[in-house]
Amino acid sequence: MNEVWESLTAAQAGPPPWAVLLSAAVALATVAWSGSWHLSRGLITIAHEGGHALAALLTRRKLQGIRLHSDTSGVTLTRGRPRGPGMILTAAAGYVTPSLLGVGGAWLTATGHVAILIAVVIGLLAAMLLLIRNLFGAVSLLATGGAVFAVTWYSPPDVDAVLACLAVWFLLFGGVRPILELRRKRSRGHAPDSDADQLARLTFLPGGFWVLLFLLVACACLAGGAWLLNPLPWPA
């Protein structure tokens, strides 16, 4: 156990500057291009629904399960008081979770603790698998967790650092686009039951306020993650 702990907590060298910049460009292109975004958006949905589930557990709501769908949507089912702080926090957690995970991963990557980041990701996916209530969701989590484990287990630490950097940038950029999509759908009246609209019904604040709050959190996390991962020297 001591050896495992030492291997997890031992800091390693971060990725070279060119790898940080290249991974940022690849992640941005993946999120910006509709074709690649459609294929990868499910990873953001996993983080989104995981955020709902974690918030429900922390606020002592009864978590009934999570469903992930092939159209990259998802739903987290909870039971408890229909109003109150617990329900508000649970509804508000989804859209900001990918960005919060991204900035946390950026800090771990920047400080050389990539092994901890990988262990946390695999642990969260395994815990979430216990809560999945449909076949597609189970297959998605098994495929994602299996890919993370296989790639990081057989690759050298330098490659792990680059892959972690790519994943972090993807979470940071990918946390912003769903909020912009939500804003566009709401403006067309296509998302009457979105998280923002549920929060509007739970509070005295309009849905547009919640969309703006989600966007501000996501942009702040993107700026913070970029600052943590910045490979270029600051001017004197």
Side-chain angles (χ1 to χ4, degrees), residues 31-34 37 41 95 176-192 194 196-197 207-208 211-212 214-215:
V31 172
W33 184 45
S34 297
W37 174 243
R41 193 186 192 281
Y95 276 100
V176 175
R177 177 159 179 173
I179 303 171
L180 298 176
E181 292 175 344
L182 173 63
R183 180 178 177 274
R184 185 168 61 251
K185 289 179 180 178
R186 291 188 73 255
S187 67
R188 299 173 180 174
H190 293 167
S194 69
D197 292 281
V211 175
L212 179 60
F214 296 158
L215 186 59

Side-chain angles (χ1 to χ4, degrees), residues 92-110:
Y95 276 100
V96 298
T97 296
S99 298
L100 293 175
L101 289 175
V103 75
W107 177 74
L108 288 173
T109 303

